[in-house]
Amino acid sequence: MENYGHQGRLEDERMLKGAGRYVADWALPNQAWACFLRSDRPHAEIVSIDAKAARDMPGVLAVILGEEVAKAGLKPIPAAAPFKWHDGSEQRQALRPSLAHGRVRHVGEPVALVVAETAVQAQDAAEAIMVDYKELPVAVTAQEALATGAPQLHETAPNNLVLDYAAGDKAAADAAFTKATRVVKLKAYHSRVVGNPMEPRAAMGHFDPESGVYYLYATTQGVGPMRNQLSAVLGVQPEEVRVVAEEVGGGFGVRFNAYPEYGALLFAAKKLGRPVKWIGTRGEVFLGDEQARDIIHTAEMALDKDGRILGMRFDYLANLGAYTAFTGTVVNTIGMVNVINGVYDVQAIHVRGRLVLTNTVPTAAYRGAGRPVASYALERLVDQAAHELGMDPAEFRARNMISKSRMPYKQVSGFEYDCGDFPGLLEQAKKEADWEGFEKRRAASAKRGRLRGRGISTYIEATAPGGFAPYDQVVVNWEQDGTITLHTASHNHGQGHETAFAQIAARVLGVPVDRFRLRTSELGTHLIANPTGGSRTLHGLGSAVLLAAREIVQIGLDLASDELETAKGDLEFEEGEYRIKGTDRRIAITALAQKHPSKLDLDFKERPKVPSTYPNGCHIAEVEIEPETGEVEIVSYLACDDAGNLVNQQLVHGQMQGGITQGAGHILGEQAIYDSSGQLLSGSFMDYPMPRAGLVGGLTLTEHPVPTATNPLGAKGVGEAGVTGSMPCLMNAVMDALRQAGVTHFDMPANPVRIWRAIQAAKAGKPAALAVEQSG
């Protein structure tokens, strides 16, 4: 592991003292306040809207409806289309308007925007608006939406099917199943969740008539994609939109895209000639933020007589909600196939995916962006195969793993793993988790009336390739007060960019870490904006910081040569100083920067991007279930991960702890539940449990680093690894425990009520059902 020193976080003091500035803290002169009226119907025609009473109320400046913004030329929010149909035709689109016009398609969709002098006046007026709806039939699940006679949500997507795609090698997979000695099949449900960042979504729109530039102050994890999406909505060039963000209280993918409210706020700001501010509520997070997952997957594995995998087939049925969000199709296509092999040496794999529209909140990226779903489907299937073979699940994995000597390894999907030591990592994890001593611990639990289960996952995930910008860019400015400002476009919202970037630059330049400042808040058009997402910031932008610092050292050679009156070849640079070799004559790089303003400044850009990396690991968990109540307790959790070289172990461990806990929350409790009429039943923290810090008991983190050669840091991503590994690991542990009670199939969430019901059903000899087929 590389040593970058300084394992603390530069951000901590500011945040602990309450000196951070979030969207709610921004205030512009003469700002007005906004409130959105949202649909309370899941599917209906808008017959009429009576806003007269609202417009006449005190303080009200405007009531803006969908018809007005449509006539003004605001366009729907664009959506990515990374895959084609299996027949080569283009993906269908179902784009989201800023305000509903003609029809609403999910509960929570914005219908009207009220602007007033105060937030309370805006809310009061919104409640006075009368909407006459003609209700339409509803489809809540993907199966319902595909059924004959289902209500049609969009004319642009016949039969509610946005995409039906294929990946891998179907012929090879079919041939493998033809010659298989045994076929294992597992159908499971990946439940829908609400991202719920700590800070509810908020935004303020402002239009500068002199420059013709729109400003959006918003909760975002990347100004670049949001600026591009908003420019498409407004019908202007990206240079005419600025996105401003300082502190953001969590992202997790649901702060990546532009939302309908943002275009409406910018329209209102231009119309009124005043900034317009909106602070969302937690209820609006549940009804308005993009949700995630909600996927049924059917997985099959073909095995030979020796328990080796011959081939696999996966079929995903994904619920996209009412519209195609910008990343909605990305996570259900690329995210499903870029690690199609997992860590297993198989070349006969086929994937089919169907992406379906329903009358629910749109789904999109959420921590892991598809890879946790693919990992869950694969690792659950692997465990099921080991169970049916009567084989130790670790031994079954080891028998089928890609060996270190096979690297680089090209998957059947075309993506290539550059490095990794999957068998070595597995052995290290087994040793540190005391794999061989499990049966004694299980027996001890049984004496206390508990069902003890053990789960394992050997996962791999792919970081984003940086496809939202042609290159990574960092601007370095040496300030007159002796500090160094790093300007990047990858937004920091908890990951620790401020610390990690400073450590990288400090190590090269020999300048103390606390002399660096990071700026990402108000980005002009000179910065190429790669967002924070896909676990690529460190090895992408961090590599740019490293190379920029090295280039600055080389630039400084000319200045030092002149100052010391010697040839460049006689100089060496070490610990922040240029020295004439063999003498004590020297000058600090900071002194050169002070004496020659801007000479060491650098706009590092237009270099080739670094490619994706492939973080991987082995997670082993043990749980205890109280069969009389259904309570599940995680009693131990060992995560052994390969994130390549670590710049800051504290940051890495923080990401892993958060990701593992987020995965545990999804497995053990979180689920967004709609009733058959399209109403969200789990629309508050009264009905939607969030994971807490103590949820994962006995957590131990360890490393098995295999540095990558694809970037100069040798680093791999870490932000989404924890959730990708923890979800299948914990469900495998729950299933291992439940099998002792006769349960043969169980789906997330493993909450006490569902666990207890599964045990009672097994006692009564009743078959299990998919969670999506149950009411909660």
Side-chain angles (χ1 to χ4, degrees), residues 448-473:
R448 295 185 288 109
R450 302 291 184 94
L451 304 174
R452 193 178 189 108
R454 177 181 62 186
I456 181 174
S457 69
T458 46
Y459 78 92
I460 188 167
E461 71 125 346
T463 64
F468 293 100
Y471 51 84
D472 288 303
Q473 182 180 11

Side-chain angles (χ1 to χ4, degrees), residues 708-731:
T708 177
T710 60
N711 66 72
L713 290 169
K716 303 175 183 178
V718 72
E720 293 152 311
V723 70
T724 306
S726 65
M727 296 189 68
C729 175
L730 287 167
M731 185 52 74

Side-chain angles (χ1 to χ4, degrees), residues 87-205:
D87 61 6
S89 60
E90 295 295 329
Q91 172 189 306
R92 301 358 173 198
Q93 292 286 19
L95 301 181
R96 206 172 180 185
S98 294
L99 294 171
H101 176 48
R103 190 193 297 194
V104 294
R105 294 177 173 87
H106 70 87
V107 171
E109 183 170 3
V111 173
L113 167 60
V114 177
V115 184
E117 295 290 353
T118 71
V120 172
Q121 289 173 334
Q123 183 177 349
D124 287 344
E127 293 172 356
I129 297 173
M130 303 298 293
V131 184
D132 183 14
Y133 291 109
K134 178 184 178 182
E135 297 200 36
L136 299 171
V138 171
V140 174
T141 69
Q143 304 100 307
E144 292 172 354
L146 289 180
T148 302
Q152 180 74 36
L153 269 71
H154 296 267
E155 293 181 0
T156 52
N159 303 314
N160 299 316
L161 192 57
V162 167
L163 185 65
D164 186 345
Y165 73 93
D169 190 331
K170 187 177 188 303
D174 290 346
F177 277 83
T178 299
K179 64 181 180 182
T181 302
R182 179 192 290 265
V183 172
V184 176
K185 184 175 181 178
L186 181 69
K187 185 177 182 180
Y189 176 57
H190 207 108
S191 58
R192 176 184 284 246
V193 290
V194 180
N196 266 316
M198 186 179 296
E199 179 190 16
R201 198 154 45 86
M204 178 163 55

Side-chain angles (χ1 to χ4, degrees), residues 558-569:
D558 288 323
L559 299 177
S561 174
D562 291 341
E563 289 292 328
L564 297 174
E565 298 178 335
T566 188
K568 288 195 296 183

